[in-house]
Coordinates of all heavy atoms in Angstrom, one line a residue:
M1 N -9.7 23.7 31.6 CA -9.1 24.7 30.7 C -10.1 25.8 30.4 O -11.2 25.5 30.0 CB -8.6 24.0 29.5 CG -8.0 25.0 28.4 SD -7.0 24.2 27.1 CE -8.3 23.9 25.9
N2 N -9.6 27.0 30.6 CA -10.5 28.2 30.2 C -10.3 28.5 28.8 O -9.2 28.6 28.4 CB -10.2 29.4 31.1 CG -10.7 29.1 32.5 OD1 -11.6 28.3 32.8 ND2 -9.9 29.7 33.4
M3 N -11.4 28.8 28.0 CA -11.2 29.2 26.7 C -12.1 30.4 26.4 O -13.2 30.6 27.0 CB -11.8 28.1 25.7 CG -10.8 26.9 25.6 SD -11.5 25.8 24.3 CE -12.5 24.8 25.2
D4 N -11.5 31.3 25.5 CA -12.3 32.5 25.1 C -13.3 32.0 24.1 O -13.3 30.8 23.6 CB -11.4 33.5 24.6 CG -10.6 33.1 23.4 OD1 -10.9 32.2 22.6 OD2 -9.5 33.7 23.2
R5 N -14.2 32.8 23.7 CA -15.3 32.5 22.8 C -14.7 32.1 21.5 O -15.2 31.1 20.8 CB -16.3 33.6 22.7 CG -17.1 33.8 23.9 CD -18.1 34.9 23.6 NE -18.8 35.2 24.9 CZ -19.6 36.2 25.1 NH1 -19.7 37.1 24.3 NH2 -20.2 36.3 26.3
A6 N -13.7 32.7 20.9 CA -13.2 32.4 19.6 C -12.6 31.0 19.6 O -12.8 30.3 18.6 CB -12.1 33.5 19.2
S7 N -11.9 30.6 20.7 CA -11.3 29.3 20.8 C -12.4 28.3 20.9 O -12.3 27.2 20.2 CB -10.5 29.2 22.0 OG -9.4 30.0 21.9
A8 N -13.4 28.5 21.6 CA -14.6 27.5 21.7 C -15.2 27.4 20.4 O -15.6 26.3 20.0 CB -15.5 28.0 22.8
A9 N -15.4 28.5 19.6 CA -16.1 28.4 18.3 C -15.2 27.6 17.4 O -15.8 26.8 16.6 CB -16.3 29.8 17.9
A10 N -13.9 27.8 17.4 CA -13.1 27.0 16.5 C -13.1 25.5 16.7 O -13.2 24.7 15.8 CB -11.6 27.5 16.7
L11 N -13.2 25.2 18.0 CA -13.4 23.7 18.3 C -14.7 23.2 17.9 O -14.8 22.1 17.4 CB -13.3 23.5 19.9 CG -11.8 23.7 20.4 CD1 -11.8 23.5 21.9 CD2 -10.9 22.8 19.7
E12 N -15.8 24.0 18.0 CA -17.1 23.6 17.5 C -17.1 23.4 16.0 O -17.9 22.5 15.5 CB -18.1 24.6 17.9 CG -18.5 24.6 19.3 CD -19.4 25.8 19.7 OE1 -20.1 26.4 18.9 OE2 -19.6 25.9 20.9
Q13 N -16.2 24.1 15.3 CA -16.1 23.9 13.8 C -15.2 22.8 13.4 O -14.9 22.7 12.2 CB -15.7 25.3 13.2 CG -16.7 26.4 13.4 CD -16.2 27.7 12.9 OE1 -15.2 27.8 12.2 NE2 -16.9 28.8 13.2
G14 N -14.8 22.0 14.3 CA -13.9 20.9 14.0 C -12.4 21.3 13.8 O -11.7 20.4 13.3
Q15 N -12.0 22.5 14.2 CA -10.7 22.9 14.0 C -9.9 22.4 15.3 O -10.4 22.2 16.4 CB -10.5 24.4 14.0 CG -11.2 24.9 12.7 CD -11.2 26.5 12.6 OE1 -10.6 27.1 13.5 NE2 -11.7 27.0 11.6
T16 N -8.6 22.2 15.2 CA -7.7 21.8 16.2 C -7.1 23.0 16.9 O -6.7 23.9 16.2 CB -6.6 20.9 15.7 OG1 -7.1 19.8 14.9 CG2 -5.7 20.4 16.8
L17 N -7.2 23.0 18.2 CA -6.6 24.1 19.0 C -5.3 23.6 19.7 O -5.4 22.7 20.4 CB -7.7 24.6 20.0 CG -7.2 25.7 21.0 CD1 -7.0 27.0 20.2 CD2 -8.2 25.9 22.1
Y18 N -4.3 24.4 19.5 CA -3.0 24.0 20.1 C -2.8 25.1 21.2 O -2.9 26.3 20.9 CB -1.9 24.0 19.1 CG -2.0 22.9 18.1 CD1 -2.5 23.1 16.8 CD2 -1.5 21.6 18.4 CE1 -2.6 22.1 16.0 CE2 -1.7 20.5 17.6 CZ -2.2 20.9 16.3 OH -2.4 19.8 15.4
C19 N -2.5 24.6 22.4 CA -2.2 25.6 23.5 C -0.7 25.5 23.8 O -0.3 24.5 24.4 CB -3.1 25.2 24.7 SG -2.9 26.3 26.0
P20 N 0.1 26.5 23.5 CA 1.6 26.4 23.7 C 2.0 26.7 25.1 O 2.9 27.5 25.4 CB 2.1 27.5 22.7 CG 1.0 28.5 22.8 CD -0.3 27.7 22.8
V21 N 1.3 26.0 26.1 CA 1.7 26.2 27.5 C 2.4 25.0 28.0 O 1.9 23.9 27.7 CB 0.4 26.5 28.3 CG1 0.7 26.6 29.7 CG2 -0.3 27.8 27.8
P22 N 3.5 25.1 28.6 CA 4.3 23.9 29.1 C 3.4 23.2 30.2 O 2.7 23.8 30.9 CB 5.5 24.5 29.6 CG 5.3 25.9 29.9 CD 4.2 26.3 28.9
T23 N 3.7 21.9 30.2 CA 3.0 21.1 31.3 C 4.0 20.6 32.3 O 5.3 20.7 32.1 CB 2.3 19.9 30.7 OG1 3.2 19.0 30.0 CG2 1.2 20.3 29.7
G24 N 3.6 20.1 33.4 CA 4.5 19.5 34.4 C 5.3 20.5 35.1 O 5.0 21.5 35.5
E25 N 6.7 20.1 35.2 CA 7.6 20.8 36.0 C 7.9 22.2 35.4 O 8.2 23.2 36.2 CB 8.9 20.1 36.1 CG 8.9 18.9 36.9 CD 10.2 18.1 36.9 OE1 11.3 18.8 36.8 OE2 10.2 16.9 37.1
A26 N 7.7 22.4 34.1 CA 7.9 23.7 33.5 C 7.0 24.8 34.1 O 7.4 26.0 34.1 CB 7.8 23.6 32.0
L27 N 5.8 24.4 34.6 CA 4.9 25.3 35.1 C 5.4 26.0 36.4 O 5.0 27.0 36.8 CB 3.5 24.8 35.3 CG 2.7 24.4 34.0 CD1 1.4 23.7 34.3 CD2 2.4 25.8 33.3
S28 N 6.2 25.2 37.1 CA 6.7 25.7 38.4 C 8.1 26.2 38.4 O 8.7 26.6 39.4 CB 6.7 24.5 39.4 OG 7.7 23.5 38.9
S29 N 8.6 26.6 37.2 CA 9.9 27.2 37.1 C 9.9 28.6 37.6 O 8.9 29.3 37.6 CB 10.5 27.2 35.6 OG 9.6 27.9 34.8
Q30 N 11.0 29.0 38.2 CA 11.2 30.4 38.7 C 11.9 31.3 37.7 O 12.8 30.9 37.0 CB 12.0 30.4 40.0 CG 11.4 29.5 41.1 CD 10.2 30.3 41.7 OE1 10.3 31.5 41.9 NE2 9.2 29.6 42.1
L31 N 11.4 32.5 37.6 CA 12.1 33.5 36.8 C 13.5 33.9 37.5 O 13.6 33.8 38.8 CB 11.3 34.8 36.6 CG 10.0 34.7 35.9 CD1 9.2 36.0 35.9 CD2 10.3 34.2 34.4
A32 N 14.4 34.3 36.7 CA 15.7 34.7 37.2 C 15.6 36.0 38.1 O 14.7 36.8 37.9 CB 16.7 34.9 36.1
K33 N 16.4 36.1 39.1 CA 16.3 37.3 39.9 C 16.8 38.5 39.1 O 17.6 38.4 38.3 CB 17.3 37.2 41.1 CG 16.6 36.3 42.2 CD 17.6 36.3 43.4 CE 16.9 35.3 44.5 NZ 17.7 35.3 45.7
R34 N 16.1 39.7 39.3 CA 16.4 40.8 38.5 C 17.4 41.7 39.2 O 17.3 41.8 40.5 CB 15.2 41.7 38.3 CG 14.0 41.0 37.6 CD 14.5 40.4 36.3 NE 13.3 39.9 35.4 CZ 13.1 38.7 35.1 NH1 13.8 37.7 35.6 NH2 12.1 38.5 34.3
P35 N 18.4 42.3 38.6 CA 19.4 43.1 39.2 C 18.7 44.3 39.7 O 17.7 44.9 39.1 CB 20.4 43.4 38.2 CG 19.8 43.2 36.9 CD 18.7 42.1 37.1
A36 N 19.1 44.9 40.9 CA 18.6 46.2 41.4 C 18.9 47.3 40.5 O 18.2 48.3 40.5 CB 19.1 46.3 42.9
S37 N 20.1 47.2 39.8 CA 20.5 48.3 39.0 C 21.3 47.7 37.8 O 21.9 46.6 37.9 CB 21.4 49.2 39.8 OG 22.2 50.1 39.0
L38 N 21.5 48.5 36.7 CA 22.3 48.0 35.6 C 23.7 48.5 35.7 O 24.6 48.1 34.9 CB 21.7 48.5 34.3 CG 20.2 48.0 34.0 CD1 19.8 48.7 32.7 CD2 20.2 46.5 33.9
E39 N 24.0 49.3 36.7 CA 25.2 49.9 37.0 C 26.4 48.9 36.9 O 26.4 48.0 37.8 CB 25.3 50.7 38.3 CG 26.5 51.5 38.5 CD 26.5 52.8 37.6 OE1 25.4 53.4 37.4 OE2 27.6 53.1 37.2
G40 N 27.3 49.0 36.0 CA 28.5 48.2 35.9 C 28.3 46.8 35.3 O 29.2 46.0 35.3
L41 N 27.0 46.5 35.0 CA 26.8 45.1 34.5 C 27.0 45.0 32.9 O 27.0 46.0 32.2 CB 25.3 44.8 34.6 CG 24.8 44.7 36.1 CD1 23.4 44.3 36.2 CD2 25.7 43.8 37.0
K42 N 27.3 43.8 32.5 CA 27.3 43.5 31.1 C 26.0 42.9 30.7 O 25.6 41.8 31.3 CB 28.5 42.5 30.8 CG 28.7 42.2 29.3 CD 29.9 41.4 29.1 CE 30.2 41.2 27.6 NZ 31.4 40.5 27.3
I43 N 25.4 43.4 29.7 CA 24.0 43.0 29.3 C 24.0 42.4 27.9 O 24.6 43.0 27.0 CB 23.0 44.3 29.3 CG1 23.2 45.1 30.5 CG2 21.6 43.8 29.0 CD1 22.8 44.4 31.8
G44 N 23.5 41.2 27.9 CA 23.4 40.5 26.6 C 22.1 40.8 25.8 O 21.1 41.0 26.4
F45 N 22.2 40.7 24.6 CA 21.1 41.0 23.6 C 21.0 39.9 22.6 O 22.0 39.6 22.0 CB 21.1 42.4 23.0 CG 21.0 43.5 23.9 CD1 22.1 44.0 24.7 CD2 19.7 44.1 24.0 CE1 21.9 45.0 25.5 CE2 19.5 45.1 25.0 CZ 20.7 45.6 25.7
L46 N 19.9 39.3 22.4 CA 19.7 38.2 21.5 C 18.6 38.5 20.5 O 17.4 38.6 20.8 CB 19.4 36.9 22.1 CG 19.1 35.7 21.3 CD1 20.4 35.4 20.4 CD2 18.8 34.5 22.1
G47 N 18.9 38.8 19.2 CA 18.0 39.2 18.2 C 17.5 37.9 17.5 O 18.2 36.9 17.4
N48 N 16.3 38.0 16.8 CA 15.8 36.8 16.2 C 15.7 37.0 14.6 O 15.1 36.2 14.0 CB 14.4 36.5 16.7 CG 13.3 37.5 16.3 OD1 13.7 38.6 15.8 ND2 12.1 37.3 16.5
L49 N 16.3 38.0 14.1 CA 16.4 38.3 12.7 C 15.1 38.7 12.0 O 15.1 38.9 10.8 CB 16.9 37.0 11.9 CG 18.3 36.5 12.3 CD1 18.6 35.2 11.4 CD2 19.3 37.6 12.0
K50 N 14.1 39.0 12.8 CA 12.8 39.5 12.2 C 13.0 41.0 11.9 O 13.9 41.7 12.5 CB 11.7 39.3 13.1 CG 11.2 37.9 13.2 CD 9.9 37.7 13.8 CE 9.4 36.3 13.6 NZ 7.9 36.3 13.5
P51 N 12.2 41.5 10.9 CA 12.4 42.9 10.7 C 12.3 43.8 11.8 O 11.4 43.6 12.7 CB 11.2 43.2 9.6 CG 11.0 41.9 9.1 CD 11.2 40.9 10.1
N52 N 13.1 44.9 12.0 CA 13.1 45.8 13.1 C 13.6 45.3 14.4 O 13.8 46.1 15.3 CB 11.8 46.5 13.2 CG 11.4 47.3 12.0 OD1 12.2 48.0 11.4 ND2 10.2 47.1 11.5
C53 N 13.9 44.1 14.6 CA 14.4 43.5 15.8 C 15.8 44.1 16.2 O 16.0 44.6 17.3 CB 14.5 42.0 15.8 SG 15.0 41.3 17.4
D54 N 16.6 44.2 15.2 CA 17.9 44.8 15.4 C 17.8 46.3 15.8 O 18.5 46.8 16.7 CB 18.9 44.7 14.2 CG 18.3 45.3 12.9 OD1 17.0 45.4 12.8 OD2 19.0 45.6 12.0
V55 N 16.9 47.0 15.1 CA 16.7 48.4 15.6 C 16.2 48.5 17.0 O 16.7 49.3 17.8 CB 15.6 49.1 14.6 CG1 15.3 50.5 15.1 CG2 16.1 49.1 13.2
L56 N 15.3 47.7 17.4 CA 14.8 47.7 18.8 C 15.9 47.3 19.8 O 16.1 48.1 20.7 CB 13.6 46.7 18.9 CG 13.2 46.4 20.3 CD1 12.5 47.7 20.9 CD2 12.2 45.3 20.3
L57 N 16.6 46.3 19.5 CA 17.7 45.9 20.4 C 18.9 46.9 20.4 O 19.4 47.2 21.5 CB 18.2 44.5 20.1 CG 17.2 43.4 20.4 CD1 17.7 42.0 20.0 CD2 16.8 43.4 21.9
H58 N 19.3 47.4 19.3 CA 20.4 48.3 19.3 C 20.0 49.7 20.1 O 20.8 50.2 20.8 CB 20.9 48.7 18.0 CG 21.7 47.5 17.4 ND1 22.7 46.9 18.0 CD2 21.5 46.8 16.2 CE1 23.2 45.9 17.2 NE2 22.5 45.9 16.1
T59 N 18.8 50.0 19.9 CA 18.3 51.2 20.6 C 18.2 51.0 22.1 O 18.6 51.8 22.9 CB 16.9 51.6 20.1 OG1 16.9 51.9 18.7 CG2 16.3 52.8 20.9
T60 N 17.8 49.7 22.5 CA 17.8 49.4 23.9 C 19.2 49.2 24.4 O 19.5 49.6 25.6 CB 17.0 48.0 24.1 OG1 15.8 48.1 23.5 CG2 16.9 47.7 25.6
E61 N 20.2 48.8 23.6 CA 21.6 48.8 24.0 C 22.0 50.2 24.4 O 22.7 50.3 25.5 CB 22.5 48.3 22.9 CG 22.6 46.8 22.8 CD 23.7 46.5 21.6 OE1 23.4 46.8 20.5 OE2 24.7 46.0 22.0
D62 N 21.7 51.2 23.7 CA 22.1 52.6 23.9 C 21.4 53.0 25.3 O 22.1 53.7 26.1 CB 21.6 53.4 22.8 CG 22.3 53.3 21.5 OD1 23.4 52.6 21.5 OD2 21.8 53.7 20.4
E63 N 20.2 52.6 25.4 CA 19.5 53.0 26.7 C 20.1 52.4 28.0 O 20.2 53.1 29.0 CB 18.0 52.8 26.6 CG 17.2 53.6 25.6 CD 17.4 55.0 25.8 OE1 17.2 55.5 26.9 OE2 17.6 55.7 24.7
V64 N 20.4 51.1 27.8 CA 20.9 50.5 29.1 C 22.3 51.0 29.4 O 22.8 51.2 30.5 CB 20.9 49.0 29.0 CG1 19.6 48.4 28.9 CG2 21.9 48.4 28.0
T65 N 23.1 51.4 28.3 CA 24.3 52.1 28.6 C 24.2 53.4 29.3 O 25.0 53.7 30.2 CB 25.1 52.3 27.2 OG1 25.3 51.0 26.6 CG2 26.4 52.9 27.4
K66 N 23.2 54.2 28.9 CA 22.9 55.4 29.6 C 22.5 55.2 31.0 O 22.7 56.1 31.9 CB 21.7 56.2 28.9 CG 22.1 56.8 27.5 CD 20.8 57.4 26.9 CE 21.1 57.7 25.4 NZ 19.9 58.2 24.8
L67 N 21.9 54.0 31.3 CA 21.5 53.7 32.7 C 22.7 53.1 33.5 O 22.4 52.6 34.7 CB 20.3 52.7 32.7 CG 19.0 53.3 32.2 CD1 17.9 52.2 32.0 CD2 18.5 54.4 33.1
G68 N 23.8 53.0 32.9 CA 25.0 52.5 33.7 C 25.5 51.2 33.3 O 26.5 50.8 34.0
A69 N 25.0 50.5 32.4 CA 25.6 49.3 32.0 C 27.0 49.5 31.5 O 27.3 50.4 30.8 CB 24.8 48.6 30.9
A70 N 27.9 48.6 31.9 CA 29.4 48.8 31.5 C 29.7 48.4 30.1 O 30.5 49.0 29.5 CB 30.2 48.1 32.5
E71 N 28.8 47.4 29.7 CA 29.1 46.8 28.4 C 27.9 46.1 27.9 O 27.1 45.7 28.7 CB 30.3 45.9 28.5 CG 30.9 45.2 27.3 CD 32.1 44.4 27.5 OE1 32.7 44.3 28.7 OE2 32.5 43.7 26.6
T72 N 27.9 45.9 26.6 CA 26.7 45.0 26.0 C 27.4 44.0 25.0 O 28.5 44.1 24.6 CB 25.7 45.9 25.3 OG1 26.3 46.5 24.1 CG2 25.1 46.9 26.1
L73 N 26.6 42.9 24.9 CA 27.0 41.8 23.9 C 25.8 41.5 23.1 O 24.8 41.2 23.6 CB 27.4 40.6 24.8 CG 27.7 39.4 23.9 CD1 29.0 39.5 23.2 CD2 27.8 38.1 24.8
Y74 N 25.9 41.8 21.8 CA 24.8 41.6 20.9 C 25.1 40.3 20.0 O 26.1 40.2 19.3 CB 24.6 42.8 19.9 CG 23.5 42.7 19.1 CD1 22.2 43.1 19.4 CD2 23.6 42.1 17.8 CE1 21.1 43.0 18.6 CE2 22.6 42.1 16.9 CZ 21.2 42.5 17.3 OH 20.2 42.3 16.5
R75 N 24.1 39.4 20.0 CA 24.2 38.3 19.1 C 22.9 38.1 18.4 O 21.8 38.5 18.9 CB 24.5 37.0 19.9 CG 25.9 37.1 20.6 CD 27.1 37.0 19.5 NE 28.3 37.0 20.2 CZ 29.1 38.1 20.2 NH1 28.6 39.3 19.9 NH2 30.3 38.0 20.7
E76 N 22.8 37.3 17.3 CA 21.6 37.0 16.6 C 21.5 35.6 16.4 O 22.6 34.9 16.2 CB 21.5 37.8 15.3 CG 21.3 39.2 15.3 CD 21.2 40.0 14.0 OE1 21.7 39.4 13.0 OE2 20.5 40.9 14.0
K77 N 20.3 35.1 16.3 CA 20.0 33.7 16.0 C 20.4 33.4 14.5 O 20.4 34.4 13.8 CB 18.6 33.3 16.3 CG 18.1 33.4 17.7 CD 16.7 33.2 17.9 CE 15.8 32.6 16.9 NZ 14.4 32.3 17.2
E78 N 20.6 32.2 14.2 CA 20.9 31.9 12.8 C 19.6 31.9 11.9 O 19.7 32.0 10.7 CB 21.7 30.5 12.7 CG 23.0 30.5 13.3 CD 23.7 29.3 13.3 OE1 23.3 28.3 12.5 OE2 24.7 29.0 14.0
S79 N 18.5 31.7 12.6 CA 17.2 31.6 11.8 C 16.1 32.1 12.8 O 16.1 31.9 14.0 CB 16.9 30.2 11.5 OG 15.5 30.1 11.1
C80 N 15.2 32.9 12.1 CA 14.1 33.5 13.0 C 13.1 32.4 13.4 O 12.4 32.6 14.3 CB 13.5 34.7 12.3 SG 12.6 34.2 10.7
S81 N 13.1 31.3 12.7 CA 12.2 30.2 13.1 C 12.7 29.1 13.9 O 12.0 28.3 14.4 CB 11.6 29.7 11.7 OG 12.6 29.0 11.0
L82 N 14.0 29.1 14.2 CA 14.6 28.1 15.0 C 15.1 28.8 16.3 O 15.4 29.9 16.4 CB 15.7 27.4 14.3 CG 15.4 26.7 13.0 CD1 16.6 26.2 12.3 CD2 14.4 25.6 13.3
G83 N 15.3 27.9 17.4 CA 15.9 28.4 18.6 C 17.3 28.8 18.3 O 18.0 28.5 17.4
A84 N 17.8 29.6 19.3 CA 19.2 30.0 19.3 C 20.2 28.9 19.5 O 19.9 27.9 20.3 CB 19.5 31.1 20.3
A85 N 21.3 28.9 18.9 CA 22.3 27.9 19.0 C 22.8 27.9 20.5 O 22.9 28.9 21.1 CB 23.6 28.2 18.1
T86 N 23.1 26.7 21.0 CA 23.5 26.6 22.4 C 24.7 27.3 22.7 O 24.9 27.9 23.7 CB 23.8 25.1 22.7 OG1 22.6 24.3 22.4 CG2 24.2 24.8 24.1
S87 N 25.7 27.4 21.6 CA 26.9 28.2 21.8 C 26.6 29.7 22.1 O 27.2 30.4 22.9 CB 27.8 28.1 20.7 OG 27.2 28.6 19.4
I88 N 25.6 30.3 21.5 CA 25.2 31.7 21.7 C 24.6 31.8 23.1 O 25.0 32.8 23.8 CB 24.2 32.2 20.6 CG1 24.9 32.2 19.2 CG2 23.6 33.5 21.0 CD1 24.0 32.5 18.1
L89 N 23.7 31.0 23.4 CA 23.1 31.0 24.8 C 24.2 30.8 25.9 O 24.1 31.6 26.8 CB 22.0 29.9 24.9 CG 20.8 30.0 23.9 CD1 19.9 28.8 24.1 CD2 20.1 31.3 24.1
D90 N 25.1 29.9 25.7 CA 26.2 29.7 26.6 C 27.0 31.0 26.7 O 27.4 31.4 27.8 CB 27.1 28.5 26.2 CG 26.3 27.2 26.5 OD1 25.3 27.2 27.2 OD2 26.8 26.2 26.0
E91 N 27.4 31.6 25.6 CA 28.2 32.8 25.6 C 27.5 33.9 26.4 O 28.1 34.6 27.3 CB 28.5 33.3 24.2 CG 29.3 34.6 24.1 CD 29.6 35.0 22.7 OE1 28.8 34.6 21.8 OE2 30.5 35.9 22.5
I92 N 26.2 34.2 26.2 CA 25.5 35.1 26.9 C 25.4 34.8 28.4 O 25.7 35.7 29.2 CB 24.1 35.4 26.3 CG1 24.2 36.0 24.9 CG2 23.2 36.2 27.2 CD1 23.0 36.1 24.1
A93 N 25.2 33.5 28.7 CA 25.0 33.1 30.1 C 26.4 33.3 30.8 O 26.4 33.7 32.0 CB 24.6 31.7 30.2
E94 N 27.5 32.9 30.2 CA 28.7 33.0 30.8 C 29.3 34.4 31.0 O 30.1 34.7 31.9 CB 29.8 32.1 30.1 CG 29.5 30.7 30.2 CD 30.3 29.9 29.2 OE1 31.3 30.4 28.6 OE2 30.0 28.6 29.0
N95 N 28.9 35.3 30.1 CA 29.5 36.6 30.1 C 28.7 37.8 30.5 O 29.1 38.9 30.6 CB 30.0 36.9 28.6 CG 31.2 36.0 28.3 OD1 32.2 36.0 28.9 ND2 30.9 35.1 27.3
C96 N 27.4 37.5 30.7 CA 26.4 38.7 31.0 C 25.6 38.4 32.3 O 25.4 37.3 32.7 CB 25.5 38.8 29.9 SG 26.2 39.1 28.3
Q97 N 25.3 39.5 33.0 CA 24.6 39.4 34.2 C 23.1 39.6 34.0 O 22.2 39.2 34.9 CB 25.0 40.5 35.2 CG 26.4 40.3 35.8 CD 27.5 40.7 34.8 OE1 27.5 41.7 34.2 NE2 28.5 39.8 34.7
A98 N 22.7 40.0 32.8 CA 21.3 40.1 32.4 C 21.2 40.0 30.9 O 22.2 40.2 30.2 CB 20.7 41.4 32.9
A99 N 20.0 39.7 30.4 CA 19.9 39.5 28.9 C 18.5 40.0 28.5 O 17.6 40.0 29.2 CB 20.0 38.1 28.4
V100 N 18.5 40.5 27.3 CA 17.2 41.0 26.6 C 17.1 40.2 25.3 O 18.0 40.1 24.5 CB 17.3 42.5 26.3 CG1 16.1 43.0 25.6 CG2 17.6 43.2 27.5
V101 N 15.8 39.6 25.1 CA 15.5 38.8 24.0 C 14.3 39.5 23.4 O 13.4 40.0 24.1 CB 15.2 37.4 24.3 CG1 14.7 36.6 23.0 CG2 16.3 36.7 25.0
A102 N 14.3 39.8 22.0 CA 13.2 40.5 21.4 C 12.8 39.9 20.1 O 13.5 39.2 19.5 CB 13.7 42.0 21.3
L103 N 11.6 40.3 19.7 CA 11.0 39.9 18.5 C 10.8 41.2 17.6 O 10.7 42.3 18.2 CB 9.6 39.3 18.7 CG 9.5 38.0 19.5 CD1 8.0 37.7 19.7 CD2 10.2 36.9 18.9
G104 N 10.9 41.0 16.3 CA 10.7 42.2 15.5 C 9.3 42.1 14.8 O 8.4 41.5 15.3
D105 N 9.1 42.9 13.8 CA 7.9 43.0 12.9 C 7.2 44.3 13.2 O 7.3 45.0 14.0 CB 7.0 41.8 13.0 CG 7.5 40.7 12.1 OD1 8.4 40.8 11.2 OD2 6.9 39.6 12.3

């Protein structure tokens, strides 16, 4: 494992270092194919309730519409500290050809 100097120093001081990197099969997962164009697509947006996330995503909604997206679907998580509900993820997956997820602050 490669560590930067700050991480190595933290370990020397007896602190615990957590590395949020998946192990095993998750490392070999493939990213979804990207559409060549947004023309005519329905684009999903998932906000996380952090400050300014809605501003960022709604502005991006306007931009993808200018680039030819036919429609957008905006949803927000129930909590900024928990994952999105399966029903929201399923709705976006079933109805949209691409999705944007963002953080705020």
Side-chain angles (χ1 to χ4, degrees):
M1 172 166 93
N2 293 330
M3 282 189 269
D4 60 28
R5 288 183 184 166
S7 299
L11 290 178
E12 287 176 11
Q13 295 175 10
Q15 297 176 0
T16 303
L17 175 68
Y18 294 97
C19 184
V21 176
T23 59
E25 292 181 26
L27 289 175
S28 65
S29 63
Q30 297 286 322
L31 295 175
K33 290 185 178 184
R34 304 304 194 247
S37 165
L38 299 178
E39 190 70 37
L41 300 182
K42 184 172 184 177
I43 311 298
F45 291 85
L46 179 60
N48 70 346
L49 298 178
K50 287 195 169 210
N52 297 316
C53 184
D54 59 336
V55 174
L56 173 66
L57 288 179
H58 288 308
T59 300
T60 306
E61 274 185 295
D62 293 341
E63 293 302 313
V64 300
T65 301
K66 290 176 189 174
L67 292 172
E71 188 177 351
T72 63
L73 174 69
Y74 182 88
R75 297 291 181 262
E76 289 184 331
K77 296 174 14 173
E78 293 177 17
S79 166
C80 63
S81 61
L82 300 174
T86 303
S87 59
I88 292 174
L89 297 175
D90 288 345
E91 180 183 16
I92 291 172
E94 290 171 11
N95 295 295
C96 301
Q97 291 78 42
V100 176
V101 179
L103 302 174
D105 282 345

